[in-house]
Structures are given as structure tokens and as C-alpha cells.
Amino acid sequence: MQAADVPACADLLNHIIELGGSTAHENPFDEARFASHYLNGQEVVNVVLSNDRILGFQVAGRHPALPEDVLDIGTFTDRRDPVKGAGRALFAKTQRAFSHGCIRVYK
């Protein structure tokens, strides 16, 4: 994610928050708070694009309440005009970013 992505990603997340029920966030983000929380506050932040349109973003990092070998991953994709495979593409990018370790998926 780059600073130029912040407005579109904040809008995408705020729409998800407005819909309710699929994120722990309850209050919308302004661009400054979004950048502080996501752009500057995570180990890995990826976006997935179709042409110049952001389809979603994923953040991943360590969380102090979790074991050291566990990542906290949040995935947010466009709910207005969803594109099949956006989440899968984001997860693949995150796996590559953490290729020094291993990401195991628990269902």
C-alpha cells in the first residue's frame, strides 16, 4: 500500500463498517487515522488492483496477545462491486511477503 491508496482503501473499509457485521471496527476512519493504523502501523500491507481500481487490501503483522509464530491478518475487499478471487490474490501476496516463515491456514 502506498500513501496514494489511502483514500480509496479508507472508503472501502468505511463501507464495510457501515454495512456492519463483518469487521470489529465500528467507527469510520478518516484518512489520517487510516494511514496511522494501517499504512504505518503494520508489518505488511498489500492491495490488489484491477487496472487502477483497488479491489481490496490485506494487513498482516504480529499481535502482542498472540504467540510469536502467529500472524494477525485482516482482509477487506470491495463489497459494492466484488471481484471473485480478490481475497485469494491478497493472501498469496501476504504469503510471499512472509516467505521467510510459514503461514498455516486453520479453518
Side-chain angles (χ1 to χ4, degrees):
M1 181 183 291
Q2 302 172 18
D5 299 329
V6 167
C9 289
D11 180 63
L12 186 150
L13 178 55
N14 286 337
H15 182 252
I16 293 169
I17 293 168
E18 182 182 309
L19 293 174
S22 64
T23 179
H25 296 297
E26 295 180 348
N27 299 311
F29 284 80
D30 63 24
E31 291 178 17
R33 188 166 80 93
F34 182 92
S36 174
H37 187 77
Y38 286 110
L39 182 62
N40 305 320
Q42 302 292 327
E43 286 183 62
V44 173
V45 184
N46 290 312
V47 297
V48 65
L49 302 168
S50 175
N51 298 317
D52 290 332
R53 181 177 149 231
I54 293 178
L55 304 178
F57 69 96
Q58 185 170 71
V59 295
R62 313 262 189 260
H63 190 283
L66 298 173
E68 190 174 308
D69 63 342
V70 173
L71 291 175
D72 183 24
I73 300 175
T75 306
F76 306 95
T77 58
D78 187 354
R79 305 293 18 140
R80 292 181 184 114
D81 189 14
V83 173
K84 186 175 179 150
R88 187 177 11 231
L90 286 164
F91 190 69
K93 288 176 78 172
T94 298
Q95 282 185 301
R96 286 192 299 276
F98 283 96
S99 62
H100 62 276
C102 176
I103 296 179
R104 284 175 272 173
V105 178
Y106 297 96
K107 295 183 181 185

